């Protein structure tokens, strides 16, 4: 099939059994490889749906200046879709966002506006949002995407990610496991899959140091999960279990995934693998698990996959004005 643009390639990512990584009897772990979206992340789905639906509904027009607070991989997807749709995008980042992510956004045509990071993720997130509000006041053409509260974020995964999983697994699915940042992937997919599989257990993966579920703030090097206050889309009542993983467990998960399944995935995916290590021994047999692996690993050759280990390597450059 020939597509009209790279944006039309978003979604329809493959599912793979992780039988080498989790070979136990009565266990089937099925991975959704979201890193195979065009920008390398499952957030491409939300970026496409929010912008395209906004244009269809008239919320955005050909003159709209898109603005968003970005702390992770969503920026590349937003920049990609905005460029194809012919809309300017300003991504407001902070000084902890990796320089590679900033460079990708700029190459895709986005303007990057950088604020200083604060002492904890909540302070940093507030500074980004305050800068967004300044831009909105200064430019009457500007519109805030607001991915953490935009229902179209979750709707993208309800309509596509969950449907693809349900169609592939057929008549049975026991557990859904996904990392949580904005909540869009987890909540959107869980709502549709629960309608298809009423006994489904939903497991959220978060990092030690994230404050999304009330834990104390700490360092979250890769923005794998929560990187600010709890997003409006995140509904704890719809989650059955939260698993917090450490940085070391995340690194180990990434490396085991590569060594056993030849999947070069990023830290959010490694965190999901680490969470699976924790929960699988607790689940009854037989069990069928869908795990969303959202990110790619080639941007982490210098840290997660560095031969000497990330703690002994020089850290990647950070965003600068």
């Amino acid at each position: 099939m020939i597509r009209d643009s790279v944006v039309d390639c978003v979604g329809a990512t493959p599912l793979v059994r992780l039988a080498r990584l989790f070979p136990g009897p009565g266990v089937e772990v099925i991975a959704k490889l979201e890193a195979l979206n065009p920008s390398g992340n499952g957030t491409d789905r939300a970026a496409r749906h929010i912008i395209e639906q906004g244009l269809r509904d008239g919320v955005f027009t050909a003159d709209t200046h898109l603005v968003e607070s970005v702390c992770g991989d969503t920026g590349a997807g937003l920049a990609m879709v905005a460029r194809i749709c012919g809309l300017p995008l300003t991504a407001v980042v902070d000084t902890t966002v990796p320089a590679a992510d900033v460079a990708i956004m700029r190459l895709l045509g986005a303007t990057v506006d950088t604020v200083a990071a604060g002492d904890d993720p909540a302070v940093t997130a507030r500074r980004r949002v305050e800068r967004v509000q300044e831009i909105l006041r200064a430019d009457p053409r500007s519109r805030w995407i607001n991915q953490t509260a935009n229902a179209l974020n979750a709707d993208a995964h309800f309509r596509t990610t969950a449907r693809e999983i349900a169609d592939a697994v057929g008549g049975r699915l026991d557990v859904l496991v996904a990392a949580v940042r904005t909540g869009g992937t987890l909540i959107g997919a869980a709502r549709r899959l629960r309608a298809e599989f009423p006994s489904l257990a939903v497991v959220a993966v978060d990092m030690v140091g994230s404050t999304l579920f009330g834990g104390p703030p700490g360092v979250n090097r890769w923005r794998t999960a929560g990187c600010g206050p709890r997003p409006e889309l995140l509904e704890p009542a719809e989650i059955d279990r939260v698993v917090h993983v450490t940085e070391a467990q995340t690194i180990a998960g990434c490396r085991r995934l590569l060594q056993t399944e030849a999947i070069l995935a990023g830290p959010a995916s490694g965190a999901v693998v680490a969470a699976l290590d924790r929960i699988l021994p607790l689940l009854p047999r037989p069990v069928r698990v869908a795990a969303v692996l959202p990110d790619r690993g080639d941007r982490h050759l210098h840290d997660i996959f560095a031969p000497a280990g990330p703690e002994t390597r020089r850290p990647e450059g950070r965003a600068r004005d």
Side-chain angles (χ1 to χ4, degrees), residues 224-291:
T224 310
C227 59
R230 179 181 293 169
E232 294 181 36
L233 291 177
L234 189 60
E235 294 286 350
E238 299 184 42
I239 297 168
D240 296 296
R241 181 184 180 96
V242 179
V243 180
H244 286 89
V245 300
T246 65
E247 181 177 294
Q249 290 167 339
T250 296
I251 295 168
C254 289
R255 292 180 176 180
R256 286 181 51 229
L257 187 61
L258 179 62
Q259 291 161 2
T260 59
E261 301 286 356
I263 297 173
L264 182 63
S269 301
V272 168
V273 169
L276 287 166
D277 284 334
R278 298 259 296 278
I279 67 168
L280 284 178
L282 308 176
L283 299 175
R285 303 296 192 263
V287 64
R288 200 175 204 199
V289 180

Side-chain angles (χ1 to χ4, degrees), residues 120-122 206-218 220 225-231 234 244:
D120 66 63
D206 200 8
M207 291 292 292
V208 172
S210 165
T211 59
L212 292 188
F213 296 95
N220 186 353
C227 59
R230 179 181 293 169
L234 189 60
H244 286 89

Side-chain angles (χ1 to χ4, degrees), residues 77-99:
L78 288 171
M80 174 186 70
V81 179
R83 181 152 202 163
I84 292 298
C85 292
L87 301 177
L89 169 71
T90 295
V92 178
V93 305
D94 61 74
T95 48
T96 67
V97 174

Side-chain angles (χ1 to χ4, degrees), residues 100-144:
D101 291 345
V102 172
I104 290 168
M105 286 185 271
R106 285 181 169 145
L107 285 169
L108 288 167
T111 297
V112 178
D113 194 312
T114 307
V115 301
D119 295 331
D120 66 63
V123 172
T124 303
R126 186 170 64 249
R127 289 178 179 174
R128 291 197 308 269
V129 171
E130 287 171 351
R131 179 58 185 146
V132 167
Q133 297 292 353
E134 290 174 358
I135 295 170
L136 295 176
R137 288 192 294 270
D139 183 358
R141 301 176 303 118
S142 61
R143 296 292 182 272
W144 185 15

Side-chain angles (χ1 to χ4, degrees), residues 14-33:
L15 291 99
V16 175
R17 289 186 183 88
L18 302 183
R20 298 164 189 82
L21 183 58
F22 300 108
V27 175
E28 184 181 21
V29 177
I30 303 166
K32 184 71 165 147
L33 302 185

